[in-house]
Amino acid sequence: MTLSNDPSVVLERVEAALKPPPMYKVLMLNDDFTPMDFVVEVLQKFFAMGLEKATEVMLQVHHEGRGVCGLFPRDIALTKVEQVSVFARQHQHPLQCVMEEA
């Protein structure tokens, strides 16, 4: 970049409009086989929820078919979904966790 020595040239600073990265909701889906206490355990282990909040989300999953576990940047949301899926399979539960853009 060359700057002019001509005093009649005015340089303007242009601010780049950066928007924050999109956030993703991690959702847990209801099924008829995964025990409620296992869902609470998953919410506490992978989403750092206390017992009361984890129970509240578990009941939302149970009654409404899905519940929001948290809001995260894309990479973290993907990791959470994968961690829950692997943990559920290790314990032979069909629990599903998905993500969608918020």
Side-chain angles (χ1 to χ4, degrees):
M1 175 162 99
T2 305
L3 296 178
S4 172
N5 288 330
D6 184 351
S8 64
V9 174
V10 177
L11 299 177
E12 290 184 34
R13 178 182 213 129
V14 177
E15 294 290 329
L18 296 177
K19 57 183 180 181
M23 299 295 280
Y24 291 81
K25 288 190 278 188
V26 175
L27 304 163
M28 192 167 289
L29 307 180
N30 190 39
D31 64 68
D32 294 331
F33 305 101
T34 305
M36 292 180 178
D37 60 334
F38 183 78
V39 173
V40 170
E41 179 184 350
V42 167
L43 291 166
Q44 289 179 301
K45 181 177 182 75
F46 296 103
F47 299 96
M49 293 184 190
L51 179 59
E52 187 174 323
K53 179 66 178 171
T55 302
E56 179 183 314
V57 173
M58 177 273 296
L59 289 172
Q60 181 184 25
V61 172
H62 181 70
H63 293 295
E64 298 175 24
R66 62 191 224 161
V68 178
C69 303
L71 191 62
F72 305 96
R74 183 179 180 276
D75 290 346
I76 294 173
L78 277 169
T79 300
K80 298 279 186 190
V81 168
E82 182 64 22
Q83 288 174 326
V84 169
S85 297
V86 168
F87 188 73
R89 300 306 161 263
Q90 287 173 342
H91 290 84
Q92 300 177 340
H93 295 299
L95 183 64
Q96 290 186 10
C97 197
V98 298
M99 61 186 257
E100 66 181 35
E101 194 166 347

XYZ file of all heavy atoms in Angstrom:
806
model
N 0.858 -1.171 0.000
C 0.000 0.000 0.000
C 0.904 1.234 0.000
O 1.851 1.314 0.767
C -0.900 -0.035 1.240
C -1.738 1.190 1.386
S -3.115 0.940 2.504
C -2.494 1.640 3.983
N 0.593 2.173 -0.856
C 1.370 3.392 -0.952
C 0.539 4.548 -0.429
O -0.608 4.729 -0.828
C 1.748 3.682 -2.421
O 2.414 2.550 -2.946
C 2.633 4.892 -2.518
N 1.101 5.323 0.492
C 0.415 6.506 0.992
C 0.917 7.710 0.225
O 2.099 7.863 -0.015
C 0.687 6.695 2.488
C 0.153 5.597 3.411
C 0.538 5.913 4.846
C -1.344 5.497 3.286
N -0.006 8.553 -0.137
C 0.339 9.735 -0.926
C 0.862 10.833 -0.005
O 0.400 11.006 1.111
C -0.906 10.225 -1.667
O -0.648 11.446 -2.284
N 1.802 11.604 -0.514
C 2.294 12.773 0.208
C 1.485 14.007 -0.151
O 1.737 15.087 0.348
C 3.772 13.017 -0.101
C 4.648 11.970 0.546
O 4.293 11.445 1.595
N 5.776 11.675 -0.065
N 0.527 13.848 -1.035
C -0.328 14.955 -1.470
C -1.292 15.300 -0.341
O -2.116 14.480 0.075
C -1.092 14.534 -2.727
C -1.926 15.656 -3.300
O -2.067 16.717 -2.644
O -2.458 15.465 -4.409
N -1.227 16.549 0.191
C -2.097 16.939 1.310
C -3.571 17.000 0.932
O -4.437 17.026 1.801
C -1.574 18.305 1.726
C -0.776 18.795 0.582
C -0.316 17.611 -0.200
N -3.897 16.985 -0.339
C -5.302 17.045 -0.738
C -5.966 15.656 -0.699
O -7.176 15.541 -0.822
C -5.443 17.649 -2.142
O -4.818 16.804 -3.089
N -5.162 14.619 -0.518
C -5.708 13.261 -0.444
C -6.104 12.971 1.005
O -5.314 13.126 1.928
C -4.674 12.219 -0.936
C -5.195 10.809 -0.720
C -4.343 12.465 -2.391
N -7.350 12.575 1.177
C -7.859 12.259 2.513
C -8.085 10.755 2.599
O -8.779 10.173 1.768
C -9.193 13.012 2.787
C -9.751 12.623 4.139
C -8.977 14.507 2.684
N -7.476 10.159 3.582
C -7.661 8.735 3.798
C -8.754 8.532 4.839
O -8.775 9.187 5.870
C -6.359 8.082 4.281
C -5.171 8.171 3.329
C -3.941 7.556 3.978
C -5.480 7.468 2.025
N -9.665 7.614 4.544
C -10.731 7.315 5.495
C -10.551 5.902 6.020
O -10.215 4.998 5.267
C -12.101 7.407 4.812
C -12.512 8.811 4.459
C -13.919 8.849 3.887
O -14.761 8.039 4.332
O -14.159 9.667 3.007
N -10.798 5.775 7.273
C -10.736 4.443 7.890
C -12.089 3.769 7.677
O -13.128 4.328 7.992
C -10.440 4.566 9.378
C -10.420 3.243 10.060
C -10.173 3.382 11.556
N -9.426 2.223 11.955
C -8.317 2.229 12.636
N -7.810 3.362 13.040
N -7.715 1.113 12.954
N -12.037 2.592 7.119
C -13.263 1.834 6.887
C -13.296 0.685 7.890
O -12.364 -0.129 7.944
C -13.319 1.272 5.440
C -14.560 0.433 5.236
C -13.231 2.413 4.443
N -14.333 0.663 8.690
C -14.480 -0.396 9.690
C -15.075 -1.633 9.023
O -16.092 -1.546 8.341
C -15.403 0.060 10.832
C -14.843 1.193 11.661
C -13.658 0.785 12.517
O -13.598 -0.383 12.938
O -12.785 1.637 12.728
N -14.442 -2.737 9.209
C -14.973 -3.999 8.686
C -16.081 -4.461 9.614
O -15.913 -4.487 10.834
C -13.873 -5.046 8.618
N -17.198 -4.784 9.037
C -18.341 -5.237 9.828
C -18.209 -6.742 10.073
O -18.495 -7.547 9.202
C -19.638 -4.919 9.099
N -17.726 -7.077 11.232
C -17.595 -8.482 11.588
C -18.769 -8.875 12.465
O -19.057 -8.230 13.463
C -16.291 -8.725 12.356
C -15.001 -8.458 11.601
C -13.808 -8.667 12.521
C -14.893 -9.352 10.390
N -19.439 -9.921 12.068
C -20.530 -10.376 12.917
C -20.074 -11.627 13.658
O -19.222 -12.373 13.177
C -21.787 -10.635 12.108
C -21.650 -11.622 10.979
C -22.950 -11.720 10.223
C -22.802 -12.709 9.079
N -24.003 -12.835 8.312
N -20.628 -11.844 14.826
C -20.213 -13.016 15.593
C -20.593 -14.303 14.858
O -21.525 -14.312 14.047
C -20.986 -12.874 16.905
C -22.110 -11.946 16.612
C -21.663 -11.067 15.485
N -19.883 -15.373 15.131
C -20.210 -16.636 14.461
C -21.600 -17.107 14.876
O -22.061 -16.787 15.976
C -19.133 -17.600 14.963
C -18.655 -17.001 16.237
C -18.811 -15.520 16.093
N -22.272 -17.857 14.018
C -23.601 -18.340 14.379
C -23.529 -19.296 15.565
O -22.539 -20.014 15.735
C -24.083 -19.063 13.118
C -22.863 -19.366 12.343
C -21.852 -18.329 12.708
N -24.565 -19.278 16.364
C -24.645 -20.164 17.519
C -25.607 -21.305 17.188
O -26.496 -21.163 16.351
C -25.130 -19.392 18.745
C -24.204 -18.257 19.144
S -22.583 -18.810 19.686
C -22.961 -19.284 21.355
N -25.393 -22.415 17.866
C -26.185 -23.619 17.620
C -26.784 -24.135 18.924
O -26.099 -24.182 19.947
C -25.328 -24.712 16.983
C -24.935 -24.372 15.576
C -23.867 -23.522 15.318
C -25.647 -24.874 14.498
C -23.512 -23.180 14.024
C -25.296 -24.537 13.194
C -24.232 -23.697 12.972
O -23.892 -23.356 11.689
N -28.060 -24.506 18.848
C -28.720 -25.139 19.982
C -28.409 -26.625 19.941
O -28.525 -27.256 18.888
C -30.240 -24.978 19.901
C -30.740 -23.591 20.180
C -32.238 -23.576 20.311
C -32.873 -23.538 18.935
N -34.332 -23.324 18.974
N -28.019 -27.173 21.067
C -27.878 -28.622 21.191
C -29.172 -29.114 21.834
O -29.586 -28.615 22.892
C -26.652 -29.009 22.038
C -26.610 -30.513 22.251
C -25.381 -28.536 21.348
N -29.825 -30.045 21.163
C -31.125 -30.553 21.596
C -31.042 -32.038 21.904
O -30.391 -32.794 21.182
C -32.162 -30.339 20.490
C -32.331 -28.906 20.005
C -33.047 -28.883 18.668
C -33.105 -28.112 21.029
N -31.720 -32.442 22.943
C -31.839 -33.852 23.268
C -33.241 -34.283 22.853
O -34.205 -33.566 23.078
C -31.627 -34.054 24.764
C -31.456 -35.492 25.157
S -30.839 -35.635 26.835
C -29.154 -35.070 26.626
N -33.319 -35.453 22.217
C -34.591 -35.958 21.708
C -35.127 -37.078 22.591
O -34.370 -37.904 23.109
C -34.417 -36.462 20.272
C -33.794 -35.475 19.287
C -33.678 -36.125 17.909
C -34.588 -34.187 19.211
N -36.444 -37.107 22.723
C -37.091 -38.127 23.540
C -37.095 -39.475 22.823
O -37.145 -39.547 21.596
C -38.529 -37.707 23.844
C -39.179 -38.600 24.873
O -38.550 -39.023 25.829
N -40.445 -38.900 24.694
N -37.018 -40.520 23.601
C -37.245 -41.871 23.089
C -37.951 -42.643 24.204
O -38.073 -42.163 25.322
C -35.932 -42.548 22.653
C -34.973 -42.772 23.795
O -35.282 -43.597 24.682
O -33.905 -42.125 23.817
N -38.448 -43.821 23.893
C -39.212 -44.598 24.865
C -38.363 -45.586 25.658
O -38.912 -46.407 26.395
C -40.338 -45.363 24.150
C -41.383 -44.429 23.561
O -41.569 -43.332 24.124
O -42.002 -44.785 22.547
N -37.046 -45.514 25.525
C -36.198 -46.541 26.126
C -35.157 -46.020 27.106
O -34.803 -46.715 28.049
C -35.503 -47.357 25.025
C -36.478 -47.947 24.045
C -36.681 -47.351 22.811
C -37.222 -49.063 24.373
C -37.592 -47.881 21.909
C -38.145 -49.603 23.492
C -38.327 -49.011 22.253
N -34.631 -44.822 26.882
C -33.567 -44.287 27.743
C -34.159 -43.882 29.094
O -35.105 -43.102 29.142
C -32.888 -43.075 27.088
O -32.419 -43.452 25.792
C -31.721 -42.581 27.919
N -33.603 -44.398 30.188
C -34.115 -44.041 31.519
C -33.918 -42.552 31.825
O -32.929 -41.943 31.419
C -33.275 -44.899 32.476
C -32.651 -45.956 31.635
C -32.529 -45.391 30.254
N -34.875 -42.006 32.545
C -34.823 -40.582 32.894
C -33.577 -40.240 33.703
O -32.984 -39.183 33.509
C -36.080 -40.175 33.659
C -37.331 -40.210 32.831
S -38.740 -39.723 33.846
C -40.045 -39.805 32.635
N -33.169 -41.134 34.610
C -31.994 -40.835 35.425
C -30.716 -40.805 34.587
O -29.784 -40.051 34.882
C -31.857 -41.806 36.602
C -31.711 -43.264 36.176
O -32.186 -43.635 35.090
O -31.119 -44.037 36.966
N -30.684 -41.572 33.492
C -29.528 -41.527 32.592
C -29.487 -40.182 31.865
O -28.418 -39.593 31.693
C -29.576 -42.681 31.579
C -28.368 -42.721 30.682
C -27.164 -43.229 31.128
C -28.429 -42.228 29.378
C -26.036 -43.256 30.315
C -27.318 -42.245 28.553
C -26.117 -42.762 29.024
N -30.647 -39.684 31.447
C -30.721 -38.371 30.779
C -30.218 -37.286 31.722
O -29.429 -36.415 31.333
C -32.158 -38.078 30.287
C -32.264 -36.658 29.744
C -32.584 -39.091 29.234
N -30.641 -37.335 32.976
C -30.177 -36.361 33.971
C -28.661 -36.456 34.134
O -27.960 -35.438 34.170
C -30.904 -36.561 35.325
C -30.261 -35.723 36.422
C -32.382 -36.214 35.181
N -28.135 -37.674 34.195
C -26.689 -37.873 34.314
C -25.941 -37.248 33.132
O -24.919 -36.571 33.302
C -26.367 -39.370 34.390
C -24.897 -39.676 34.493
C -24.582 -41.169 34.464
O -25.508 -41.999 34.547
O -23.392 -41.500 34.332
N -26.450 -37.457 31.922
C -25.829 -36.891 30.716
C -25.839 -35.368 30.771
O -24.834 -34.714 30.461
C -26.546 -37.411 29.447
C -26.144 -36.600 28.217
C -26.252 -38.883 29.236
N -26.951 -34.793 31.161
C -27.050 -33.334 31.234
C -26.080 -32.760 32.264
O -25.469 -31.709 32.036
C -28.491 -32.919 31.546
C -29.487 -33.192 30.413
C -30.922 -33.085 30.924
C -29.257 -32.252 29.243
N -25.907 -33.455 33.358
C -24.962 -32.995 34.371
C -23.517 -33.161 33.895
O -22.700 -32.267 34.071
C -25.170 -33.781 35.678
C -26.464 -33.420 36.378
C -26.664 -34.233 37.642
O -26.705 -35.459 37.604
N -26.773 -33.539 38.763
N -23.229 -34.289 33.279
C -21.855 -34.619 32.877
C -21.358 -33.771 31.708
O -20.238 -33.273 31.722
C -21.791 -36.104 32.515
C -20.415 -36.593 32.097
C -20.452 -38.102 31.836
C -19.123 -38.673 31.463
N -18.197 -38.806 32.578
N -22.193 -33.599 30.683
C -21.726 -32.943 29.457
C -22.161 -31.483 29.312
O -21.628 -30.768 28.472
C -22.171 -33.742 28.231
C -21.550 -35.109 28.176
C -22.284 -36.227 28.516
C -20.221 -35.272 27.821
C -21.713 -37.494 28.487
C -19.632 -36.530 27.793
C -20.387 -37.641 28.130
N -23.130 -31.056 30.130
C -23.622 -29.686 30.002
C -23.521 -28.915 31.310
O -24.085 -27.837 31.439
C -25.051 -29.697 29.457
C -25.140 -30.315 28.095
C -25.487 -31.650 27.937
C -24.831 -29.589 26.958
C -25.544 -32.235 26.682
C -24.873 -30.158 25.700
C -25.231 -31.487 25.567
N -22.803 -29.492 32.284
C -22.514 -28.829 33.561
C -23.763 -28.275 34.248
O -23.749 -27.190 34.820
C -21.478 -27.714 33.360
N -24.850 -29.034 34.192
C -26.087 -28.619 34.852
C -26.142 -29.202 36.255
O -25.676 -30.316 36.492
C -27.312 -29.111 34.071
C -27.494 -28.472 32.733
S -29.027 -29.063 31.969
C -28.816 -28.402 30.320
N -26.737 -28.437 37.145
C -27.025 -28.959 38.469
C -28.197 -29.927 38.382
O -28.879 -30.013 37.341
N -28.459 -30.626 39.462
C -29.522 -31.623 39.475
C -30.883 -31.018 39.130
O -31.636 -31.584 38.335
C -29.579 -32.316 40.847
C -30.665 -33.379 41.011
C -30.490 -34.499 39.989
C -30.660 -33.925 42.429
N -31.186 -29.860 39.682
C -32.494 -29.239 39.444
C -32.680 -28.852 37.976
O -33.703 -29.154 37.366
C -32.648 -28.009 40.346
C -34.043 -27.402 40.287
C -34.221 -26.272 41.294
O -33.676 -26.358 42.412
O -34.913 -25.306 40.934
N -31.692 -28.198 37.385
C -31.770 -27.783 35.977
C -31.804 -29.002 35.061
O -32.572 -29.050 34.084
C -30.585 -26.869 35.623
C -30.568 -26.411 34.182
C -31.750 -25.508 33.863
C -31.670 -25.014 32.419
N -32.887 -24.311 32.013
N -30.970 -30.011 35.354
C -30.943 -31.223 34.537
C -32.296 -31.936 34.584
O -32.785 -32.423 33.561
C -29.828 -32.149 35.011
N -32.913 -31.978 35.741
C -34.243 -32.605 35.880
C -35.281 -31.820 35.091
O -36.133 -32.407 34.417
C -34.637 -32.697 37.368
O -33.629 -33.453 38.058
C -35.986 -33.359 37.540
N -35.193 -30.507 35.138
C -36.117 -29.644 34.389
C -36.004 -29.898 32.876
O -37.016 -30.061 32.189
C -35.790 -28.181 34.707
C -36.644 -27.160 34.006
C -36.183 -25.738 34.332
O -35.942 -25.445 35.523
O -36.063 -24.943 33.390
N -34.787 -29.969 32.370
C -34.579 -30.219 30.941
C -35.033 -31.636 30.578
O -35.677 -31.850 29.553
C -33.109 -29.972 30.535
C -32.854 -30.398 29.094
C -32.744 -28.499 30.719
N -34.727 -32.610 31.432
C -35.157 -33.992 31.191
C -36.676 -34.067 31.081
O -37.222 -34.747 30.200
C -34.650 -34.900 32.313
C -35.099 -36.356 32.204
S -36.712 -36.689 32.965
C -36.404 -36.357 34.670
N -37.382 -33.364 31.943
C -38.852 -33.370 31.898
C -39.361 -32.683 30.634
O -40.372 -33.104 30.062
C -39.433 -32.730 33.160
C -39.270 -33.569 34.427
C -39.686 -32.773 35.664
C -40.067 -34.862 34.318
N -38.667 -31.647 30.192
C -39.032 -30.993 28.934
C -38.873 -31.980 27.773
O -39.744 -32.070 26.910
C -38.164 -29.755 28.706
C -38.497 -29.017 27.423
C -37.567 -27.840 27.156
O -36.431 -27.809 27.624
N -38.042 -26.876 26.392
N -37.783 -32.719 27.770
C -37.559 -33.741 26.737
C -38.681 -34.768 26.790
O -39.266 -35.133 25.764
C -36.179 -34.423 26.919
C -36.030 -35.613 25.988
C -35.050 -33.421 26.702
N -39.002 -35.215 27.975
C -40.019 -36.255 28.167
C -41.403 -35.790 27.714
O -42.118 -36.526 27.025
C -40.048 -36.667 29.640
C -41.035 -37.736 29.954
N -40.883 -39.038 29.523
C -42.203 -37.700 30.648
C -41.906 -39.756 29.941
N -42.725 -38.967 30.632
N -41.776 -34.576 28.075
C -43.130 -34.077 27.785
C -43.279 -33.434 26.411
O -44.341 -33.517 25.799
C -43.579 -33.092 28.863
C -43.773 -33.732 30.202
N -44.734 -34.681 30.462
C -43.105 -33.566 31.367
C -44.662 -35.079 31.708
N -43.672 -34.416 32.290
N -42.218 -32.779 25.933
C -42.326 -32.039 24.673
C -41.605 -32.717 23.504
O -41.651 -32.217 22.386
C -41.783 -30.621 24.866
C -42.581 -29.824 25.894
C -41.982 -28.457 26.181
O -41.257 -27.921 25.321
O -42.242 -27.933 27.277
N -40.897 -33.792 23.776
C -40.224 -34.521 22.705
C -38.798 -34.094 22.446
O -38.044 -34.787 21.771
N -38.416 -32.941 22.985
C -37.045 -32.454 22.861
C -36.816 -31.340 23.861
O -37.757 -30.700 24.322
C -36.729 -31.981 21.444
C -37.566 -30.830 20.956
C -37.372 -30.617 19.479
N -37.220 -29.195 19.203
C -36.694 -28.697 18.111
N -36.244 -29.494 17.175
N -36.580 -27.409 17.938
N -35.556 -31.143 24.191
C -35.206 -30.101 25.147
C -33.865 -29.496 24.801
O -32.983 -30.176 24.262
N -33.714 -28.225 25.103
C -32.478 -27.503 24.795
C -31.464 -27.745 25.913
O -31.732 -27.473 27.079
C -32.744 -25.990 24.638
C -31.443 -25.243 24.378
C -33.742 -25.733 23.527
N -30.316 -28.254 25.516
C -29.223 -28.525 26.461
C -28.293 -27.327 26.600
O -27.611 -27.188 27.611
C -28.406 -29.723 25.990
S -29.367 -31.219 25.768
N -28.231 -26.498 25.571
C -27.351 -25.340 25.616
C -27.186 -24.703 24.254
O -27.652 -25.227 23.242
N -26.540 -23.555 24.238
C -26.289 -22.773 23.033
C -24.777 -22.603 22.915
O -24.126 -22.105 23.842
C -26.985 -21.414 23.169
C -27.079 -20.529 21.960
C -27.886 -21.196 20.854
C -27.720 -19.203 22.328
N -24.213 -23.022 21.757
C -22.762 -23.074 21.613
C -22.344 -22.675 20.202
O -23.126 -22.809 19.260
C -22.256 -24.509 21.856
C -22.680 -25.090 23.158
C -23.806 -25.898 23.241
C -21.966 -24.833 24.315
C -24.213 -26.449 24.447
C -22.361 -25.381 25.532
C -23.485 -26.185 25.594
N -21.064 -22.261 20.030
C -20.522 -22.123 18.679
C -20.536 -23.498 18.001
O -20.563 -24.533 18.679
C -19.087 -21.645 18.905
C -19.071 -21.085 20.286
C -20.103 -21.848 21.054
N -20.461 -23.518 16.694
C -20.619 -24.747 15.901
C -19.713 -25.894 16.361
O -20.176 -27.012 16.569
C -20.365 -24.437 14.429
C -20.580 -25.617 13.511
C -20.333 -25.219 12.044
N -20.545 -26.357 11.180
C -19.623 -27.295 10.932
N -18.435 -27.214 11.493
N -19.890 -28.304 10.132
N -18.426 -25.643 16.504
C -17.488 -26.710 16.844
C -17.778 -27.316 18.216
O -17.686 -28.531 18.397
C -16.042 -26.210 16.791
C -15.570 -25.929 15.375
O -16.260 -26.370 14.429
O -14.529 -25.277 15.209
N -18.124 -26.478 19.167
C -18.427 -26.982 20.505
C -19.736 -27.773 20.479
O -19.836 -28.837 21.087
C -18.464 -25.828 21.530
C -17.063 -25.240 21.675
C -19.011 -26.315 22.874
C -16.974 -24.009 22.520
N -20.726 -27.275 19.746
C -21.997 -27.996 19.627
C -21.778 -29.374 19.009
O -22.314 -30.380 19.493
C -22.992 -27.189 18.806
N -20.975 -29.434 17.946
C -20.667 -30.726 17.317
C -20.000 -31.689 18.299
O -20.334 -32.880 18.345
C -19.730 -30.524 16.120
C -20.361 -30.131 14.804
C -19.290 -29.721 13.802
C -21.197 -31.266 14.255
N -19.077 -31.166 19.071
C -18.381 -31.989 20.056
C -19.347 -32.514 21.109
O -19.307 -33.699 21.468
C -17.246 -31.184 20.725
O -16.323 -30.775 19.715
C -16.531 -32.004 21.787
N -20.230 -31.668 21.602
C -21.214 -32.084 22.614
C -22.115 -33.190 22.064
O -22.366 -34.188 22.741
C -22.078 -30.905 23.068
C -21.317 -29.790 23.731
C -21.034 -30.098 25.164
C -20.405 -28.892 25.852
N -19.898 -29.239 27.174
N -22.599 -33.019 20.836
C -23.465 -34.024 20.216
C -22.728 -35.356 20.117
O -23.277 -36.418 20.455
C -23.960 -33.543 18.827
C -24.609 -34.676 18.051
C -24.921 -32.375 18.985
N -21.491 -35.315 19.688
C -20.697 -36.541 19.547
C -20.429 -37.193 20.900
O -20.547 -38.416 21.045
C -19.376 -36.232 18.830
C -18.509 -37.444 18.584
C -19.125 -38.474 17.646
O -20.016 -38.120 16.857
O -18.712 -39.649 17.729
N -20.087 -36.392 21.900
C -19.819 -36.934 23.235
C -21.050 -37.644 23.801
O -20.941 -38.743 24.351
C -19.397 -35.815 24.193
C -18.017 -35.273 23.939
C -17.706 -34.077 24.817
O -18.572 -33.261 25.145
N -16.441 -33.960 25.209
N -22.202 -37.011 23.671
C -23.444 -37.605 24.193
C -23.756 -38.896 23.444
O -24.118 -39.908 24.052
C -24.614 -36.606 24.111
C -25.946 -37.289 24.403
C -24.389 -35.434 25.061
N -23.619 -38.870 22.127
C -23.918 -40.057 21.318
C -23.019 -41.237 21.700
O -23.499 -42.362 21.873
C -23.764 -39.739 19.833
O -24.689 -38.753 19.453
N -21.736 -40.987 21.835
C -20.790 -42.041 22.198
C -21.112 -42.578 23.599
O -21.167 -43.795 23.811
C -19.333 -41.528 22.110
C -18.364 -42.500 22.770
C -18.949 -41.279 20.668
N -21.338 -41.689 24.542
C -21.634 -42.088 25.920
C -22.910 -42.928 25.982
O -22.960 -43.951 26.678
C -21.742 -40.842 26.805
C -21.845 -41.126 28.272
C -20.738 -41.575 28.987
C -23.030 -40.921 28.954
C -20.822 -41.818 30.356
C -23.130 -41.160 30.320
C -22.023 -41.607 31.022
N -23.938 -42.503 25.256
C -25.211 -43.249 25.240
C -25.008 -44.649 24.657
O -25.517 -45.634 25.204
C -26.263 -42.477 24.451
N -24.271 -44.745 23.570
C -24.021 -46.055 22.948
C -23.215 -46.964 23.875
O -23.488 -48.156 23.971
C -23.286 -45.927 21.614
C -23.971 -45.139 20.526
C -25.398 -45.595 20.173
N -26.127 -44.554 19.460
C -26.982 -43.686 20.013
N -27.241 -43.709 21.298
N -27.604 -42.794 19.293
N -22.226 -46.386 24.565
C -21.416 -47.166 25.507
C -22.292 -47.782 26.606
O -21.980 -48.839 27.127
C -20.338 -46.296 26.154
C -19.205 -45.935 25.224
C -18.239 -44.932 25.852
O -18.555 -44.257 26.831
N -17.058 -44.815 25.257
N -23.370 -47.070 26.938
C -24.278 -47.548 27.984
C -25.531 -48.212 27.395
O -26.506 -48.432 28.095
C -24.646 -46.387 28.910
C -23.483 -45.947 29.740
N -22.525 -45.067 29.280
C -23.095 -46.308 30.986
C -21.612 -44.883 30.221
N -21.931 -45.625 31.261
N -25.478 -48.488 26.098
C -26.529 -49.211 25.378
C -27.902 -48.534 25.467
O -28.923 -49.181 25.669
C -26.592 -50.658 25.857
C -25.286 -51.372 25.609
C -25.275 -52.784 26.134
O -26.064 -53.150 26.994
N -24.383 -53.595 25.598
N -27.883 -47.197 25.306
C -29.127 -46.425 25.267
C -29.240 -45.749 23.899
O -28.240 -45.319 23.336
C -29.155 -45.361 26.360
C -29.177 -45.929 27.743
N -30.185 -46.740 28.211
C -28.297 -45.815 28.765
C -29.936 -47.090 29.452
N -28.787 -46.549 29.812
N -30.462 -45.637 23.379
C -30.655 -45.019 22.057
C -30.791 -43.484 22.115
O -31.271 -42.875 21.164
C -31.953 -45.660 21.572
C -32.723 -45.894 22.833
C -31.686 -46.262 23.863
N -30.379 -42.875 23.195
C -30.508 -41.432 23.363
C -29.895 -40.685 22.185
O -28.772 -40.975 21.767
C -29.811 -41.003 24.661
C -29.906 -39.525 25.028
C -31.355 -39.133 25.294
C -29.036 -39.244 26.240
N -30.655 -39.716 21.654
C -30.158 -38.931 20.532
C -30.020 -37.464 20.932
O -30.867 -36.914 21.613
C -31.107 -39.035 19.333
C -31.096 -40.392 18.695
C -31.925 -40.406 17.426
O -32.356 -39.369 16.923
N -32.156 -41.586 16.901
N -28.964 -36.874 20.420
C -28.673 -35.476 20.650
C -28.361 -34.874 19.284
O -27.614 -35.469 18.496
C -27.466 -35.385 21.580
S -27.235 -33.811 22.373
N -28.951 -33.737 18.977
C -28.759 -33.090 17.671
C -28.478 -31.608 17.886
O -28.611 -31.096 19.002
C -29.997 -33.270 16.750
C -30.246 -34.742 16.450
C -31.236 -32.634 17.369
N -28.112 -30.946 16.803
C -27.892 -29.504 16.880
C -28.608 -28.813 15.743
O -28.827 -29.395 14.685
C -26.410 -29.167 16.879
C -25.666 -29.603 15.638
S -23.897 -29.331 15.795
C -23.709 -27.869 14.803
N -29.015 -27.565 15.990
C -29.615 -26.749 14.927
C -29.212 -25.310 15.156
O -28.976 -24.884 16.286
C -31.128 -26.901 14.899
C -31.870 -26.383 16.085
C -33.381 -26.581 16.021
O -33.849 -27.593 15.481
O -34.089 -25.697 16.518
N -29.109 -24.573 14.064
C -28.697 -23.175 14.176
C -29.745 -22.390 14.946
O -30.946 -22.569 14.738
C -28.481 -22.571 12.780
C -27.747 -21.250 12.843
C -27.215 -20.787 11.498
O -27.182 -21.582 10.544
O -26.822 -19.619 11.421
N -29.276 -21.578 15.858
C -30.194 -20.805 16.714
C -30.774 -19.607 15.984
O -30.223 -19.104 15.052
C -29.468 -20.340 17.970
